[in-house]
Amino acid sequence: MSGITSEIISKEDFFSLLWQKCAADWYVEVRGTKNKDFTGRIYSKWTPIGYLSDFFSEIDKLTSSVPHSIHYVVCPRLAPSGKKHIKGESNLAAIPAFWVDVDGAFNWEDRYLQGTKALQLNKLGIVPNLYVVSGWGVHLFWLLDTPVTDGTLGERCNKILAALFNGDTQASNWAHTLRAPGSYNCKVVPNRPVVAKLISDQRYCTQIFIETLEKFTKLLSQKDTKRTQIDKEKKREKEKINHKKITLTDKKNKLIQLLQQSNCIIMREALDRPTNLNYVKWFSIGAGLYKVFGSEAEETFYEISSMDTARYSREAAERKWTDIVQSDYMPYNCIKMGIDCPHMPPTGTCKNIAMFFRRISKHL
């Protein structure tokens, strides 16, 4: 078999497959905002699985205006509430499928559903049943014939799969929410549709699949070890920074001052209109700062992010900075982002924001 085929399915078919083995009186949630700056009150609606038509209507209602940000819970609850239930007990009903959230996987289908990778997935017995192209990555799902009621076990399996597919282990928690099919990812420009696709509706035997995943626990251990090493390196860097606290604080303040005086279109948006700053530009600022200034620019990135804490909280900024340092990412090309800037070719020389930061660095 040289390739794995898939077909686009509706949001109705996607959720029906995902929760097919769940009880009708378990609850699922759709949540979202539809403010232009995503800072308004979050709308939340819990619906029994037996009334999925109402759940679909809520998604349609939220998608009626753009921009929007719409998410759903993968795992049904015993009652219409969050992670905790009566007397602090877990409100988890069951985990109907294992999943992985892979950020930035724009060419996932070409890489994994064709050629050698497809053969490997078939050989290992870990071909996903469903996946959702989220507008900034892909969500992979493995359907189970018997839902898992042990939240700790479910999270462990998700983390193993995340290690295998280079996914986000932070999205492995059973209470995690994902972007809903049928909506748009409005954090990217232009907005991208969130599309569900089906590879196979043949469910995995839960026990056998868990045993299969346990064979890959060494990979999970290696990833945890790598993250620990990164955390230690980050701690050492912070200790060095603390040792030169006054100097670095002065340098950071000088850098912020220079950025405030600059005419870079991305930086002007980040500092003057932060609620308009999309994810791609925010990420590029972090990647560009790290490329030019290294770990010394960490606090600068946090300060820029703090201009819009509703979307780019300190915690989110710390996670993204760690990801940038770990993977040594490059910022996005400004031309590909559709930015009309006089400093870009052919008249200028600034292809991405890192080149702008290099010019700024000469004045520090």
Side-chain angles (χ1 to χ4, degrees), residues 41-154:
R41 183 178 66 85
I42 294 177
Y43 173 86
S44 172
K45 178 72 173 180
W46 290 90
T47 308
I49 289 179
Y51 293 87
L52 278 185
S53 58
D54 292 345
F55 178 85
F56 301 143
S57 296
E58 294 298 332
I59 294 180
D60 292 338
K61 187 190 303 181
L62 288 167
T63 56
S64 62
S65 62
V66 176
H68 53 245
S69 179
I70 305 171
H71 290 70
Y72 69 96
V73 295
V74 180
C75 301
R77 309 294 204 269
L78 295 170
S81 60
K83 192 168 184 178
K84 298 293 182 181
H85 191 29
I86 301 171
K87 296 180 181 178
E89 295 178 359
S90 171
N91 194 21
L92 171 67
I95 299 171
F98 297 141
W99 71 86
V100 174
D101 180 359
V102 187
D103 285 333
F106 301 112
N107 59 344
W108 187 86
E109 291 168 295
D110 293 335
R111 288 174 55 200
Y112 281 92
L113 301 187
Q114 305 297 326
T116 305
K117 289 285 188 181
L119 289 171
Q120 289 175 342
L121 289 177
N122 276 292
K123 185 177 180 179
L124 295 173
I126 54 171
V127 178
N129 297 97
L130 299 164
Y131 63 98
V132 173
V133 181
S134 69
W136 187 252
V138 65
H139 307 154
L140 313 176
F141 298 86
W142 289 262
L143 300 174
L144 306 173
D145 65 353
T146 304
V148 172
T149 56
D150 184 339
T152 301
L153 174 62

Side-chain angles (χ1 to χ4, degrees), residues 5-10 109 130-131 195-200:
T5 59
S6 64
E7 60 177 309
I8 295 175
I9 58 174
S10 66
E109 291 168 295
L130 299 164
Y131 63 98
V195 180
K197 296 192 176 184
L198 170 68
I199 293 176
S200 170

